[in-house]
Amino acid sequence: MDRTTTRPHGRRWLGGALALAVGSGLVLVGGAGTAQAADVNVARNAGFESGLANWSCSAGSGAAVSSPVRTGAGALRATPAGLDNAKCVQTVTVRPNSTYSLSAWVQGGYAYLGASGTGTGSGSVSTWTPDSAAWKQLTTSFTTGASTTSVEIYTHGWYGTSPYLVDDVSVFGPDGGGGQDPDPVVPATPAGLTAGAVTSSSVALSWGAVSGATGYKVYRNGANPQSVSGTSTTVTGLTADTAYQFQVAATNTAGESAKSAAVSARTAKVTDPGPGPAVPKHALTGYWQNFNNGATVQKLRDVQSQYDIIAVSFADSTATPGQIVFNLDPAVGYASVADFKADIAAKKAAGKSVIISVGGEKGNVTINSDASATAFADSAYALMREYGFNGVDIDLEHGINSTYLTKALRQLSAKAGSTMVLTMAPQTIDMQNTGTEYFKTALAVKDILTVVNMQYYNSGSMLGCDGKVYSQGSVDFLTALACIQLQGGLAPSQVGLGVPASTRGAGSGYVDPQIVKNALDCLTRGTGCGTFKPAQTWPSLRGAMTWSTNWDATAGNAWSNAVGPHVHNLP
């Protein structure tokens, strides 16, 4: 929180529509429209199974990722910037006077596919698609000139918009002498299968990578294979206090390897079958500052009564990756830690949830391994027991690893039980589509997640769920971006609107409380909308969040006095 980073407000649009599309993926149609026996896919590393080999991307914009992928174990993820469209290219060897089909599967933001230097016509062909939540195939074709022996194929996005993904590129036509990716052989049997963290309903597994594998199958008690793209997974839906045996096999288009040696693991006992978090159906969340930055200094007892969830900001990291501690700042004015703990207990007795927030603008807690995931869970649970915190808030702004953060949160949940409150405060860019690490984490812990209060500030213009660009500070910005989360798989009760409490609470994005109230009404009742009106309403929307209770107090509690009662009176 208390962000100062902003994104460019402008977008480089051409004449109301995007011109010059870029095609992704090639498919040979042949001179007479029929593929010949000698036709091959002349693109190399067409599925990005070998990282970015044979490809180059502008301004370091491209990266090979293991998720999401369409097939195999890899895909390209390219991120445009304000002055860069994230163009990734490969030069393929072709035969003169020949026809090739170009195709690719894309997902995410605006995606273009094309070829240049064909030697015929204008010398280039292209196609494009606006953002797509699911994999979508782009297809075009080109004919080479009489002396053309190489063609550049490319993909790109659009300036300042969301990242795009590409997989399974095809340039299908006569072999120009450059060959093609070799036919796969059945991969070797995976080794090193290990069981990690367990809960009452899940077991975490990891194993060594196998050369040539494009995926893996995880077997439970010799059956029920689960397909996995990477070298780790968490098997869920298990019975508490039960022993299981797991094996893994490697796969590619040539077939499936033999199963690995088995590893055994036993799920944990159910230690807390009690009720879920005591959070109201419609709740107001506020961040309390454990520091003095010019806002009104408060003790917890001074936090306004409208707030249902109070996020203590922030935990501190240690030299041990993943481990967190809490250091009460003397600037807050407590005579002792015991007084602070007493205030937490009093707020809880008044029906409030007090949680510890992890991250913030300057916080950097790294959770990228099994060891760091366990260190986080152990230390967070220790803080919950020591101070009486009801749970944790994830406000990490320096990149997260969804695999290991999910493991950490599940380990913590197994320790803390079903009464744990779990909130998140991602930035707008972190929740633009379900392929982002934050969105993947939220969906992976959906069964234990209380609310995601996305920060609708310090972000500039962003895409809404209808594919249109909206500027921050408007009703449309709040509703069209919340719609992405609601359509992307989060329950309405897991979505909240996060805004600054005053003009001094953030670098940009402050909105009058009336705009927040209008957005809440639009999403829950279908009234008060701007130009964007959702096709449905979500009456069980959780509520709203602000940074911070201190800035709210500085502004005379105008935000909580206006938004709090409105939230509590939602349908």
Side-chain angles (χ1 to χ4, degrees):
M1 298 296 175
D2 196 16
R3 318 291 189 259
T4 57
T5 302
T6 59
R7 290 172 52 79
H9 286 56
R11 298 286 187 259
R12 293 177 59 180
W13 304 97
L14 301 181
L18 296 173
L20 297 179
V22 178
S24 64
L26 300 171
V27 184
L28 171 64
V29 286
T34 305
Q36 305 301 312
D39 291 346
V40 298
N41 180 10
V42 299
R44 305 303 299 268
N45 190 25
F48 303 95
E49 311 302 331
S50 300
L52 294 184
N54 302 102
W55 295 89
S56 62
C57 298
S58 60
S61 56
V65 296
S66 59
S67 178
V69 300
R70 179 178 175 267
T71 63
L76 167 69
R77 184 178 190 270
T79 305
L83 298 176
D84 179 68
N85 64 358
K87 185 175 183 180
C88 297
V89 303
Q90 178 181 154
T91 299
V92 297
T93 304
V94 295
R95 184 180 297 177
N97 295 321
S98 300
T99 301
Y100 292 80
S101 256
L102 171 62
S103 69
W105 291 83
V106 298
Q107 185 185 109
Y110 284 88
Y112 297 72
L113 171 70
S116 60
T118 65
T120 59
S122 65
S124 63
V125 298
S126 62
T127 184
W128 71 285
T129 184
D131 53 312
S132 174
W135 286 105
K136 180 179 182 180
Q137 190 177 38
L138 293 176
T139 302
T140 186
S141 63
F142 63 87
T143 300
T144 57
S147 59
T148 303
T149 58
S150 65
V151 169
E152 183 181 83
I153 61 170
Y154 58 89
T155 67
H156 70 69
W158 199 250
Y159 304 93
T161 59
S162 302
Y164 69 93
L165 293 129
V166 181
D167 203 357
D168 298 329
V169 179
S170 176
V171 188
F172 197 68
D175 186 355
Q180 59 180 325
D181 288 339
D183 291 334
V185 297
V186 175
T189 302
L193 178 62
T194 303
V198 300
T199 70
S200 59
S201 62
S202 67
V203 174
L205 300 171
S206 61
W207 55 90
V210 175
S211 177
T214 57
Y216 299 89
K217 287 186 177 180
V218 176
Y219 289 85
R220 183 181 71 199
N221 294 339
N224 305 306
Q226 171 185 330
S227 296
V228 179
S229 59
T231 57
S232 65
T233 191
T234 298
V235 181
T236 59
L238 306 180
T239 303
D241 195 23
T242 302
Y244 290 91
Q245 196 173 70
F246 300 96
Q247 294 170 284
V248 62
T251 63
N252 60 19
T253 55
E256 179 177 331
S257 74
K259 296 183 182 69
S260 70
V263 64
S264 296
R266 190 176 193 91
T267 51
K269 295 180 180 180
V270 176
T271 57
D272 180 20
V279 174
K281 176 183 177 181
H282 299 298
L284 200 69
T285 301
Y287 284 79
W288 173 82
Q289 298 178 187
N290 179 42
F291 50 86
N292 181 359
N293 66 345
T296 298
V297 175
Q298 293 179 316
K299 294 184 172 66
L300 276 179
R301 71 192 72 155
D302 302 322
V303 171
Q304 302 85 327
S305 61
Q306 291 290 341
Y307 292 103
D308 305 292
I309 302 174
I310 304 167
V312 171
S313 313
F314 295 97
D316 297 312
S317 60
T318 73
T320 301
Q323 187 180 65
I324 59 173
V325 295
F326 179 72
N327 299 299
L328 186 62
D329 192 330
V332 178
Y334 277 102
S336 67
V337 172
D339 286 345
F340 175 69
K341 293 178 180 178
D343 274 3
I344 293 177
K347 282 294 184 182
K348 290 169 64 177
K352 312 300 183 181
S353 295
V354 183
I355 60 179
I356 181 69
S357 183
V358 181
E361 179 186 8
K362 299 180 180 179
N364 190 11
V365 180
T366 302
I367 306 171
N368 59 4
S369 66
D370 284 324
S372 58
T374 298
F376 176 84
D378 289 346
S379 58
Y381 185 53
L383 292 180
M384 290 177 65
R385 289 188 297 171
E386 179 181 357
Y387 289 91
F389 295 126
N390 296 89
V392 296
D393 168 69
I394 303 301
D395 184 22
L396 297 170
E397 299 183 13
H398 300 278
I400 65 173
N401 182 308
S402 61
T403 297
Y404 292 105
L405 181 55
T406 297
K407 289 183 177 182
L409 294 175
R410 289 209 169 276
Q411 288 184 55
L412 178 58
S413 175
K415 295 173 180 289
S418 64
T419 57
M420 183 182 82
V421 176
L422 172 59
T423 69
M424 295 183 179
Q427 300 170 102
T428 51
I429 191 65
D430 294 323
M431 300 295 284
Q432 277 280 279
N433 61 71
T434 55
T436 66
E437 292 298 291
Y438 243 113
F439 214 138
K440 287 193 294 184
T441 301
L443 293 177
V445 297
K446 183 178 177 180
D447 57 314
I448 59 173
L449 177 64
T450 306
V451 62
V452 174
N453 291 305
M454 190 173 76
Q455 302 171 43
Y456 292 81
Y457 50 96
N458 290 341
S459 66
S461 301
M462 300 296 293
L463 289 170
C465 65
D466 57 353
K468 297 180 181 179
V469 176
Y470 294 100
S471 299
Q472 68 179 4
S474 65
V475 171
D476 290 332
F477 188 77
L478 300 178
T479 55
L481 268 69
C483 173
I484 295 175
Q485 300 171 63
L486 293 161
Q487 292 183 351
L490 292 182
S493 64
Q494 294 173 321
V495 176
L497 308 181
V499 296
S502 73
T503 55
R504 297 176 62 190
S508 65
Y510 171 76
V511 294
D512 187 274
Q514 185 60 49
I515 293 180
V516 182
K517 292 159 66 174
N518 289 344
L520 291 168
D521 286 342
C522 179
L523 293 168
T524 60
R525 297 184 171 101
T527 62
C529 301
T531 58
F532 171 76
K533 185 170 183 178
Q536 67 176 98
T537 58
W538 297 275
S540 58
L541 192 83
R542 179 67 76 175
M545 170 274 283
T546 196
W547 176 265
S548 61
T549 66
N550 305 74
W551 286 117
D552 186 21
T554 304
N557 301 327
W559 193 88
S560 57
N561 285 342
V563 179
H566 199 81
V567 164
H568 296 138
N569 288 320
L570 290 174

